[in-house]
Amino acid sequence: EKHKLHIAKVKIEEENKNLHKRISELQASIEQEQNALLQAKQQAELIKAENGRLEEQMEEKEYQLKHIKIEVDHMKDRIIETKERLL
C-alpha cells in the first residue's frame, strides 16, 4: 500500500511538473502573440498615417489639376480670340 501511494505521488508530481511546464509554454506563447499584435497595431497606425498623408496629397493635386484645367480653358479661349482677330 505504501508503495502504491509512493507511485501515485510520483505520478502526481510528474503530472504537476508537466502542467507547470505547459503553463510556462502557454505564457510564453501569449507574450509572443501580444508582441505580434502590438507590432501589427503599430504598423496599422503607420499605414493609417501614410494613407492620410497620401489622401491630402491627392486632394492638393486634384485642386491643382482643376486650376490647370481652368487655365488651359482660358488659354484656349484667348487663342481662339487671337485667331479671330488675325483673320
Side-chain angles (χ1 to χ4, degrees):
E1 187 67 32
K2 194 174 186 182
H3 182 66
K4 285 182 185 180
L5 287 174
H6 177 70
I7 291 174
K9 180 183 173 190
V10 169
K11 285 183 181 179
I12 290 171
E13 286 174 352
E14 185 65 29
E15 187 177 336
N16 192 25
K17 182 180 172 184
N18 289 337
L19 288 173
H20 282 288
K21 182 179 175 185
R22 181 70 179 140
I23 289 170
S24 295
E25 290 170 355
L26 289 172
Q27 285 174 333
S29 177
I30 288 170
E31 286 178 20
Q32 287 177 343
E33 290 197 22
Q34 285 175 334
N35 287 337
L37 179 62
L38 180 61
Q39 287 179 348
K41 283 181 180 179
Q42 289 172 341
Q43 190 173 10
E45 289 299 318
L46 289 174
I47 290 170
K48 231 188 230 184
E50 180 68 9
N51 281 346
R53 189 184 67 76
L54 291 173
E55 284 178 9
E56 282 181 19
Q57 280 186 348
M58 277 181 49
E59 288 174 7
E60 289 174 11
K61 298 297 180 189
E62 286 173 358
Y63 179 79
Q64 290 173 356
L65 181 61
K66 182 179 176 183
H67 285 280
I68 289 171
K69 285 180 180 180
I70 291 170
E71 288 180 30
V72 167
D73 288 341
H74 286 299
M75 289 178 76
K76 282 180 183 178
D77 291 341
R78 290 199 329 234
I79 289 172
I80 290 171
E81 287 173 7
T82 303
K83 280 183 180 179
E84 287 175 356
R85 274 191 264 143
L86 286 173
L87 291 175

